Amino acid sequence: MSYYKIENLEEYFKHYKKSIREPKKFWDRIASENFTWYQEWDNVIDFNMAEAEIKWFTNAKVNITKNCIDRHLAKRGEKTAIIFEPNDPSEAAQHISYNELYERVSKMANVLREQGVKKGDRVCIYLPMIPELAISLLACARIGAIHSVVFAGFSASAVASRINDCECKMVITSDGSYRGNKAIDLKGIVDEALEKCPCVETVLVAKRTNTNVNMKEGRDQWLQPLLDDAMNTNVAEIMDAEDPLFILYTSGSTGKPKGMVHTTAGYMVYTAYTFKNVFSYEENDVFWCTADIGWITGHSYILYGPLLNGATTVIFEGVPSYPDFSRFWEVIEKHQVTQFYTAPTAIRALAKESVEYVQKYPLQSLKVIGSVGEPINEEAWHWYNDHVGGKRCPVVDTWWQTETGGIMISPLAFVTPTKPTYASLPLPGIQPVLMDEKRNEIEGNQVTGSLCIKYPWPSIARTIWGDHQRYKETYFSAFPGKYFTGDGALRDEVGYYRITGRVDDVVIVSGHNLGTAPIEDAINEHPAVAESAIVGFPHDIKGNALYGFVILKESGENRDRDNLSKEINQHISDHIGPIAKLDKIQFVSGLPKTRSGKIMRRILRKIAEGDFSNFGDITTLLNPEIVDEIKDGKI
Ligand code: PRX
């Protein structure tokens, strides 16, 4: 029996038990039977949760791209690895075979080496969803450079802070990008960012929009001529299992974004294994995940997970609403997609439109449909199940995080019975526990608590770039000896998990994880603002939207409030990006604070939601009178 694929529920329970009782044996076998190694490990796992030190497959030697590409060439050389579906449906789709992918990644890897990038160097990738994006990540991995992808919707100052935090030596970008009927000047954003980034020596620019851009002498180079001159074979760098593969920034509840560091072997084994089982992947399936590669979902389930399994994966440059709301369905039909993986926010937005957009297409190719990024509400779940999955495709509601690297709690398609809004059962190797406020583990079923994981899994992030102390404090100190997810969850009568949402100051807006602190910092930089507090409130399409309570300085009090609101949102756009804009702004004279100066956000959350019924205990507030004032201001 192979351990790699779980065929039915009984087998799931058997594998799950094995993975908990004998984690070393379990992962040892999966790793050695399904991947190509230069050298196998001394130890499957070494860890110390108190110190947040975790190592998997110690001393093993491997290169992830050998596993994503080279080992498939003999059997699947002519098979399509990547289908590129452009923003504009009248532009032809591209099919990139594994042979071609090998050549293009080799060329790119050779260009990077020629440009002086070495093992361990950091490379910032700021590209739209075009083949060069996937190829750039793989080329970095090929030569052992650490990729740090910054989502191409982030502003210049967000790009600059991410580049500086991990001191990238190179940026790979494009002249521009297309999104729906808009063209965006990506290179201009990079130029602005680089004014503050002395560490960047080289910028490689791919052509996409053919627009005029500034090329800085001695720093910027067009990518294509370099690729044309490069050799089309490349010898992969031999990497240690624990060498960093990439850094990916995620919002924290306080302070600057956290550069989560993922390492090579554990990430490889876990993303491949979860891809295979959650989506029940079979040879010749066509897998489409609609996320952007700039997020973890794209890293793990557009790129690495599918390629590690020799799959065909779709890279979609566009948006669900262009040219009209049937684009997703048209693309599924066109490429005969078998697994479709998207976010609740997209589902809700499409469900608002006429159902004819989706009914126009039979969607018979689909076998599995997935959801990720935020809790999926009952209505959206049913719409997705009925109209997209035709009630015949299992809906896999996958719960996981940037920090976890791969899917943690989810139904396995055709194995786990699904239940609307429930992420259901943990993957093998994952030990979720619910904790109460006294830090005790809550036993039994039909309970709720803070979701922790009590044993490491192969793809857990190993640290925060440059700040191991912060990693330890953020994830391992609230509940000593356990990894704290920041989410609350409920366990039902049969042990199924439902994620209820964040229990910290992170708000998930349209599936994007936004820390309130950096947004407040951006607002507070506006010259008329004294202080601010952000909370999330329910929104029909985005899941949550942002509500800002803003205290003005004296100098701002006579200003026009509509103009001020616009300026504040512009400030947020410039500092973070348009995704962090506030839906509502309320100007207030004070914020409810405890004696220790902490803003009591639960009160602000209730006011933002319009629920004035019960504010709970407000006796610890220094200024309880402000609650009525804010409430009355809203009414
Ligand atoms: O709150 C959870 C929510 O998204 C958070 C992680 O965000 P990020 O690191 O950006 O990664 C998103 C994609 C993996 C989690 O802490 N979340 C993610 N998936 C689900 C979810 N909440 C409920 N159900 C899910 N399926």
Side-chain angles (χ1 to χ4, degrees), residues 250 296-297 371-376 397-403 485 487 499 501-502 508 511 513:
T250 185
I296 192 69
T297 310
S371 168
V372 59
E374 59 189 303
I376 177 163
D397 176 2
T398 64
W399 172 81
W400 58 296
Q401 309 177 295
T402 305
E403 295 85 338
T485 65
D487 282 327
I499 311 303
R502 302 290 306 186
I508 314 271
N513 191 334

Side-chain angles (χ1 to χ4, degrees), residues 413-449:
F414 307 113
V415 169
T416 320
T418 60
K419 174 172 176 183
T421 77
Y422 280 75
S424 81
L425 297 172
L427 270 284
I430 307 305
Q431 300 189 41
V433 284
L434 297 180
M435 307 297 290
D436 67 17
E437 278 164 10
K438 295 191 182 115
R439 300 177 167 188
N440 295 318
E441 203 174 312
I442 308 170
E443 305 281 344
N445 288 343
Q446 286 194 302
V447 290
T448 55

